[in-house]
Amino acid sequence: MGPTRNDLITTAYALVNSYRTWTMDAIMSLRSTDCIHRILPASRKQPPRSNEDYRAFFSTMIPVFQDFTPSIKEEETLVDEESRKVAMHIQSHATTAFGDYDNEYMFIVKTTEKGDKVQEIWEFVDSAASNAFFPKLSQKQVP
């Protein structure tokens, strides 16, 4: 028997909540060794990332954001026990030197067979919010 609905939700929510710590070790701690993280939609032109690639990519974000607070819309969470997938609607807020940062996400998380680690992540971001914010970051424009 595979992981229960509760097991899947516990692992998926723990992944999202690991971002509250804002440390790479915590963020990476729930991923399987072969985890792949995809940032979508494809128009964002982000490659699929292994753990090593995601750590290198995301560690550049750690100094930029303060008080990053993801919030899961629990009433909108969907679970497919057979495929070991959990879909979550998430909103976040943080502060930066460039002003407040707010974004909205849809995470689809697939766990390992035991349900205790995350094997795949599909992270859909709010393209409008990302397109408004990240050019400021890459150009280091402070308002």
Side-chain angles (χ1 to χ4, degrees), residues 22-37:
W22 213 237
T23 67
M24 285 310 304
D25 286 344
I27 291 168
M28 302 303 292
S29 68
L30 289 160
R31 298 165 190 251
S32 65
T33 57
D34 60 344
C35 183
I36 298 295
H37 191 129

Side-chain angles (χ1 to χ4, degrees), residues 17-82:
N17 288 324
S18 72
Y19 284 85
R20 290 175 178 270
T21 68
W22 213 237
T23 67
M24 285 310 304
D25 286 344
I27 291 168
M28 302 303 292
S29 68
L30 289 160
R31 298 165 190 251
S32 65
T33 57
D34 60 344
C35 183
I36 298 295
H37 191 129
R38 295 169 181 85
I39 298 175
L40 301 159
S43 62
R44 303 286 314 141
K45 299 188 186 328
Q46 296 290 318
R49 292 185 170 93
S50 66
N51 286 334
E52 182 181 335
D53 295 338
Y54 187 78
R55 183 183 284 273
F57 162 75
F58 203 78
S59 38
T60 65
M61 303 295 160
I62 297 292
V64 175
F65 299 92
Q66 293 80 47
D67 301 318
F68 185 84
T69 309
S71 176
I72 301 166
K73 301 289 201 177
E74 293 184 20
E75 68 278 5
E76 297 173 15
T77 297
L78 301 173
V79 179
D80 181 338
E81 290 177 60
E82 188 175 323

Side-chain angles (χ1 to χ4, degrees), residues 2 7 9 34 41 43 56 67 72 75 80 89 103 105 123 126:
D7 294 336
I9 288 173
D34 60 344
S43 62
D67 301 318
I72 301 166
E75 68 278 5
D80 181 338
H89 179 194
N103 208 324
Y105 317 83
E123 175 186 350
D126 178 341

